[in-house]
Amino acid sequence: METASLQQSFMKLRSNKAFEFFVIGVIVFSAIVVGIKTYELPSSFLTVVGWLDNLITAIFLVEILIRFAGEERKRDFFKQGWNIFDSIIVIASLVPVEESDMAFIGRLLRIFRVLRMVSIIPELRLLLNSLLKALPQLGYVMLLMFIIFYIYAAIGATLFAHINEELWGDISIALLTLFRVMTFEDWTDVMYETMTVYRLSWIYYLTFIFLTAFAFLNMVIGIVVSVIEKENAAQEHEQGEPSRSDLGRDIAELKQMVQELKDMKS
């Protein structure tokens, strides 16, 4: 009985908004500490930062243990990918960052503690999950975009290599130049340089920009937005319907009430 009440207490604590905001604050503070470490600081200040880093690790460890203890079925805790991710990050943070062969890896993994913000905030989880689910569709768009890039790079290397070897010397350099054109990084300088030899070369650049910067990138945005809308609709549908566990709990409570009434009558 005490174990069940303790488990309920941990469940209430982990779902408490104040507890969530506290963890988010610790994650933000952890990000600040990571940034501070990139500066040249006095040794005394670095010692304080090290203590703060250890404190953050301890808080994260306690938070993971609370979430695990608050899980009704402990094995279900590791069925969620974000719980596994958080556990790996926290456990890796326990690796000593000083005088250890694993120090470099430990420092890198402590940087990734900032990503725990995604696992804590549901809206960020939704965005990332939507992006991952959109990857298969995005892959085909990216493949088609690469084909267009490759064709235009081959044409550019063939026509403009003698104008500027640094920009169009071979197809790999031409691909980088076209990426510069697509992102509008001084692309007019590139275009005007080739127009001195080929006056109609502006057609090459404009058609490439319309295909990549306008058409394909808008397709990418459209796919991501569509998946996000589907995920939002699915989440609202799940929240609108009571789960089976909730229904089972309600039925059990009703049965218990009926049994108690029967006992009182008898």
Side-chain angles (χ1 to χ4, degrees):
M1 196 70 177
E2 291 182 2
T3 304
S5 62
L6 191 62
Q7 188 262 334
Q8 289 291 332
S9 301
F10 283 128
M11 185 181 292
K12 290 180 181 178
L13 179 59
R14 75 174 190 175
S15 59
N16 188 284
K17 287 295 180 183
F19 179 73
E20 290 182 3
F21 286 133
F22 172 73
V23 175
I24 291 173
V26 174
I27 293 172
V28 173
F29 185 70
S30 173
I32 295 172
V33 170
V34 169
I36 289 174
K37 286 183 176 181
T38 61
Y39 293 94
E40 293 185 3
L41 301 171
S43 58
S44 58
F45 196 77
L46 284 174
T47 302
V48 175
V49 171
W51 290 343
L52 292 174
D53 191 73
N54 293 332
L55 177 62
I56 291 168
T57 301
I59 292 173
F60 283 157
L61 181 60
V62 171
E63 183 251 341
I64 285 289
L65 292 175
I66 289 173
R67 285 167 53 191
F68 179 76
E71 191 70 38
E72 191 172 354
R73 299 176 63 188
K74 299 297 185 281
R75 60 185 177 183
D76 290 344
F77 181 80
F78 295 105
K79 289 182 179 179
Q80 299 181 21
W82 286 114
N83 289 338
I84 296 174
F85 171 79
D86 289 344
S87 300
I88 292 173
I89 293 298
V90 172
I91 292 171
S93 298
L94 299 175
V95 176
V97 294
E98 300 295 339
E99 298 179 0
S100 171
D101 295 335
M102 300 290 290
F104 178 71
I105 298 176
R107 292 191 186 98
L108 286 179
L109 289 174
R110 291 189 180 208
I111 294 173
F112 283 101
R113 290 189 305 197
V114 182
L115 277 176
R116 294 207 58 221
M117 187 77 75
V118 179
S119 65
I120 296 297
I121 302 177
E123 288 78 11
L124 294 181
R125 288 203 306 267
L126 177 66
L127 288 175
L128 189 57
N129 289 333
S130 300
L131 182 60
L132 292 175
K133 289 186 177 181
L135 285 179
Q137 299 178 57
L138 292 176
Y140 292 109
V141 176
M142 293 301 178
L143 178 60
L144 185 56
M145 184 183 290
F146 175 76
I147 292 172
I148 298 299
F149 256 86
Y150 194 85
I151 291 172
Y152 272 83
I155 294 172
T158 303
L159 295 178
F160 308 139
H162 66 282
I163 299 175
N164 191 331
E165 283 282 339
E166 293 182 358
L167 296 179
W168 306 100
D170 53 52
I171 196 166
S172 59
I173 297 175
L175 285 170
L176 291 174
T177 302
L178 287 175
F179 185 79
R180 170 183 170 182
V181 172
M182 186 190 71
T183 55
F184 303 110
E185 177 63 30
D186 293 333
W187 72 278
T188 52
D189 296 340
V190 181
M191 181 182 68
Y192 291 142
E193 185 180 40
T194 58
M195 283 179 65
T196 57
V197 179
Y198 301 103
R199 295 191 62 185
L200 296 178
S201 62
W202 58 269
I203 299 174
Y204 169 87
Y205 296 97
L206 291 186
T207 54
F208 175 77
I209 288 173
F210 274 107
L211 284 173
T212 55
F214 296 151
F216 285 113
L217 290 184
N218 283 327
M219 287 174 64
V220 170
I221 294 171
I223 290 171
V224 174
V225 170
S226 175
V227 173
I228 290 175
E229 289 178 350
K230 289 180 181 178
E231 286 294 303
N232 277 321
Q235 191 175 40
E236 290 175 0
H237 181 71
E238 289 178 0
Q239 291 176 352
E241 294 184 355
S243 62
R244 291 184 179 179
S245 60
D246 293 337
L247 287 173
R249 194 179 299 111
D250 292 341
I251 291 172
E253 289 177 357
L254 286 173
K255 287 182 177 179
Q256 186 178 358
M257 291 174 64
V258 170
Q259 186 63 40
E260 289 176 356
L261 289 172
K262 288 181 178 179
D263 295 340
M264 289 174 65
K265 288 180 179 180
S266 61

